[in-house]
Amino acid sequence: MARRRLAALSLAAAASILLAACSNDGGTVSGSGGTAATPVTGGTLNMLGAGDVDYMDPNLSYYAVGYQNLRMWSRQLFTYPADPGGKNTTPVADLATELPTVANGGVSKDGKTYTIKIRPGAKWNTSPERQVTAADLVLGVKRTANPVQPFGGIPDFADLIVGYKAFADGFAKAPKTIAGIKDYIDKTPLPGVEAKDATTVVFHLNQPAAYFTGMLTLTAFSPAPVESLNYLPASTELGNHFPSDGPYKVDSWVPTKSISYSRNPAWDAATDPVRKAYVDKIVVNETVTQDSVQQQLQTGSPSADMEWDVAPPPSQLPALQAKKDPKLNIGDTSSSNPYVIYNTVSPNNNKALQNPKVRQAISFAINRDHILQVLGGKTLNPPLTHVLPDVILGSKQIDPYPYNPDKAKQLLAEAGFPHLTLKFLYRNATEGSSKSFQTIQQDLSKVGITVVGVPSPNADFYVKYLQVPTVAQRGVWDLSLAGWGADWYGNAALSFFNPLFSGEPSFPPVGSNFGLYNDPETNTLIKQAIAAPTDDQAADLWAKADARVMDQAAFYPLTSNKQANYHAEQVHNAVYVPSMQNYDPTNVWLSKDKQGG
């Protein structure tokens, strides 16, 4: 989303990337095929996958694959580095000149004002080239609330930034046209984001938020040039014409087919402490199966260097681990990925899923161990039995739904639904997603529930199904799988609860509450936790919110997964960055004798 999110947003070894960015550890650095200490410039990095970005739009993308794409051509005030030492969940300055603190004047004493300077020399590849400005940053934040496709993580900051909620509410009523969007942006101020001068941006908050610098790593807070207003947000046309301030530019994007990038002549390496940009070009093929990607990476195909949106198939991981293949990386995460979504507004089966007791019954009927096994086992998929992973403030170990088919049958009978037929939405291009569906189908059949599949291409799964509330309301699906991770790290419970469980404000497309869960008690606990004056009080309230979500069976958690990634032998300096759930393409280099084409 988390980090994507996260993100937000991979089904661990299942290769279904998180919606939001997520992870808490840099994993290990792996590389082979040459002298890792001597970087080599040039060549074409070929990336293979089976799916696409969500949006080729920095202010709207909320998907780990989208974040990986943006790494090449879009910069943020702060981001996470490809640090071989593993400190890849600590923000560093990107477009900003430094991290803001009270000591350096970047944060006011009351913690409600953040003043940030933009690096001189960071430029757009417009004609002529020009400096990225504070006004561009204001425009970018305004674009997150556009009425065509608002940013999916808006619940994170809607009530935090002064005036944002009123601005967004008004924008939702604006015409969904290029002219209507431009007119609203030009005429409507956003008092919480101020361009103090050409390169100084000031954020005004309604309350102190120690996590705000971490929040600013979200790509939603990317600057946007005025040229972005010439196209509809999230459109293919914009994706092919959005100016770049990163080391590469998008030459061509054919949705679900391919993306090609080449060097951005306006980029100055001296202004970018994060991206080395060793390769000259990056080419993405989005039409390759998961098995084929792995085969090509292992066999040395000249047009196969790195994964795009897939990971090694779960069935192949044990062998790769057994031989200690140096091209395999296993990175830790702070995610809940995957989890089972319950469509709490489904009209199917006489609205059975609107009854918490039915959802509780399904939770007792699912055997978590069976699913984790098909995802690659518990080593890669440690069980998660509640909302918050253990590295997030407020996590408290509870397991309210141990596998108990007899209890499931009892609850179904008590609810008046001894037999159900449920529709399960899943991604049929990835092994983990398909096998998880089949496993759940078998488990639920033992308690009188028939599960029928609703297969979806990877590229359609979110944008045509989960992110469209009317699809859930029509009962197109009853159950599905998704993944989530912290949008930032540590004090980040907010980035789980606000986007996923906070009622109507978190409904898609402005949130990621795909099952449209809405419970007044949960909503109250979330608001109390956000306003808690101390970390200890916040932790207690987040734990209570976690327990309430589980009591109402809003979803069924499975694992706080580890992320598997693989690269070809010619790839060096492959550093895992959790927010992208992959190696950083802007920091790898290729062997001199195998530089693609």
Side-chain angles (χ1 to χ4, degrees), residues 22 163 180 196 204 208 449 476 487:
C22 65
K196 186 176 181 181
H204 302 280
I449 299 176
V476 174
D487 284 340

Side-chain angles (χ1 to χ4, degrees), residues 109 185 202 349 353 387 425 448 463-464 467 471 513 530 571 596:
K109 290 184 179 179
I185 284 177
V202 181
N349 301 285
L353 279 181
V387 178
L425 174 68
V463 297
K464 292 186 179 180
Q467 289 179 327
V471 174
N513 183 352
I530 291 171
V571 175

Side-chain angles (χ1 to χ4, degrees), residues 421-436:
T421 297
L422 302 176
K423 301 175 184 177
F424 197 110
L425 174 68
Y426 69 100
R427 282 166 277 201
N428 60 350
T430 58
E431 180 184 299
S433 183
S434 296
K435 287 189 174 181
S436 294

Side-chain angles (χ1 to χ4, degrees), residues 41-267:
T41 59
T44 297
L45 179 71
N46 289 284
M47 302 184 71
L48 306 182
D52 204 359
V53 300
D54 52 348
Y55 308 110
M56 186 73 74
D57 190 322
N59 305 118
L60 308 183
S61 184
Y62 198 35
Y63 185 35
V65 178
Y67 287 6
Q68 179 177 244
N69 153 66
L70 293 171
R71 183 74 156 198
M72 274 82 97
W73 60 275
S74 173
R75 297 177 64 185
Q76 292 73 53
L77 292 173
F78 311 102
T79 192
Y80 296 108
D83 177 7
K87 296 181 180 179
N88 296 343
T89 57
T90 301
V92 297
D94 183 358
L95 278 174
T97 56
E98 61 182 347
L99 293 169
T101 64
V102 173
N104 65 23
V107 182
S108 62
K109 290 184 179 179
D110 66 1
K112 294 165 64 174
T113 303
Y114 282 66
T115 302
I116 300 165
K117 284 280 191 180
I118 295 174
R119 292 180 190 271
K123 295 180 180 179
W124 297 110
N125 68 326
T126 49
S127 184
E129 300 171 359
R130 66 173 188 272
Q131 169 74 37
V132 177
T133 67
D136 296 333
L137 201 289
V138 174
L139 174 56
V141 180
K142 284 184 170 184
R143 290 187 72 251
T144 62
N146 79 83
V148 174
Q149 179 56 64
F151 173 61
I154 283 175
D156 278 349
F157 52 81
D159 294 319
L160 179 62
I161 297 174
V162 171
Y164 184 91
K165 190 174 187 307
F167 176 86
D169 289 346
F171 210 167
K173 301 171 186 175
K176 297 181 180 182
T177 63
I178 294 173
I181 290 169
K182 185 177 188 302
D183 185 65
Y184 186 84
I185 284 177
D186 288 344
K187 294 180 178 178
T188 312
L190 175 54
V193 190
E194 171 195 1
K196 186 176 181 181
D197 58 40
T199 56
T200 307
V201 61
V202 181
F203 289 90
H204 302 280
L205 309 182
N206 286 313
Q207 62 188 50
Y211 51 78
F212 189 61
T213 300
M215 182 182 286
L216 289 178
T217 63
L218 287 169
T219 63
F221 294 98
S222 304
V226 292
E227 289 84 355
S228 65
L229 297 178
N230 296 332
Y231 306 89
L232 282 177
S235 65
T236 302
E237 292 76 19
L238 175 61
N240 278 289
H241 293 91
F242 204 115
S244 166
D245 60 349
Y248 301 98
K249 58 185 176 66
V250 178
D251 292 330
S252 173
W253 172 44
V254 182
T256 75
K257 302 294 183 184
S258 64
I259 311 174
S260 60
Y261 313 82
S262 63
R263 288 198 180 278
N264 173 11
W267 178 74

Side-chain angles (χ1 to χ4, degrees), residues 351-402:
K351 302 182 180 179
L353 279 181
Q354 298 185 28
N355 186 335
K357 187 171 286 190
V358 173
R359 302 195 299 266
Q360 291 166 357
I362 297 171
S363 297
F364 278 116
I366 296 175
N367 190 323
R368 183 181 284 106
D369 289 348
H370 288 171
I371 301 172
L372 300 187
Q373 187 58 41
V374 302
L375 292 178
K378 291 184 180 180
T379 299
L380 291 173
N381 301 280
L384 180 65
T385 58
H386 49 96
V387 178
L388 294 175
D390 60 10
V391 297
I392 302 298
L393 181 74
S395 177
K396 184 176 181 180
Q397 293 303 318
I398 57 173
D399 185 4
Y401 301 108

